[in-house]
Amino acid sequence: HVAGVDLHQRWLDVGAEHGVARGMAAVNERGLAGRVIEVGRRSARVLLLTDFNSRIPVMVEPSRDQAILAGNNTGLPTLAFLPLDPRLGVGDRVVTSGRGGVLPPGIEVGTVRRIDDDGVVVEPLVDFARLEYLRLLEYTEIVPPEQLEQLQREMYGPPLPPGFVPPEPPAAAEVIGLATTPGAEAAP
């Protein structure tokens, strides 16, 4: 339930105690409203996709052109980082792309309303003036088995060579920076 209203943010009356986590998608029956950016014990803050700080990876259908939906503190966010020769038109559907693994792919966002010299303007499906209830989506990107080895290399580096033995850890005196000289006593 939406408990508080700021211009381009909403406060929810659920938080970490209820399983809410940062990054969750906030949707209603029409589509994506925004995402959770802050979580307290019993409350959470949702940044709406219209907020100037909002950046959502999207795809325009049916062309499948990828872009970033950029909020601009108006009711009509714009598309940024489009391909050099986008194949889109007024009325095309805009959905989340799933890139970056933060939001699930395919959540409806809006439709292309206008294309002009100023850019591509998107009309969100959500009516933010009547936003009362939000559903929060938990999402974990699933890595296909054929990409798992590549992901592990990116995270942990190349595999260790066969027969690799790690070096012995330094003595405690070396770790804390004490130099020991044979026959010398440590100062009290």
Side-chain angles (χ1 to χ4, degrees), residues 22-127:
R22 200 166 171 259
M24 290 178 131
V27 300
N28 73 358
E29 70 280 357
R30 292 181 172 198
L32 183 70
R35 62 188 173 85
V36 175
I37 59 166
E38 189 177 344
V39 179
R41 219 173 79 225
R42 293 187 180 150
S43 65
R45 185 165 51 129
V46 172
L47 183 73
L48 300 180
L49 54 86
T50 56
D51 188 280
F52 181 78
N53 295 303
S54 177
R55 301 291 183 269
I56 307 283
V58 295
M59 178 173 58
V60 181
E61 294 181 338
S63 69
R64 302 188 61 78
D65 284 333
Q66 305 280 319
I68 300 293
L69 183 77
N72 52 15
N73 284 350
T74 73
L76 301 170
T78 59
L79 294 182
F81 303 106
L82 280 160
L84 292 176
D85 189 20
R87 304 163 312 222
L88 47 89
V90 172
D92 283 357
R93 191 168 86 132
V94 179
V95 299
T96 56
S97 68
R99 289 197 176 246
V102 178
L103 299 173
I107 300 174
E108 293 203 51
V109 175
T111 56
V112 174
R113 179 175 182 184
R114 187 175 72 239
I115 303 170
D116 56 28
D117 292 338
D118 294 330
V120 179
V121 175
V122 174
E123 184 169 5
L125 295 174
V126 172
D127 180 358

Side-chain angles (χ1 to χ4, degrees), residues 151-164:
L151 180 62
Q152 287 173 332
R153 271 196 305 275
E154 289 172 8
M155 290 174 64
Y156 304 114
L160 297 173
F164 174 79

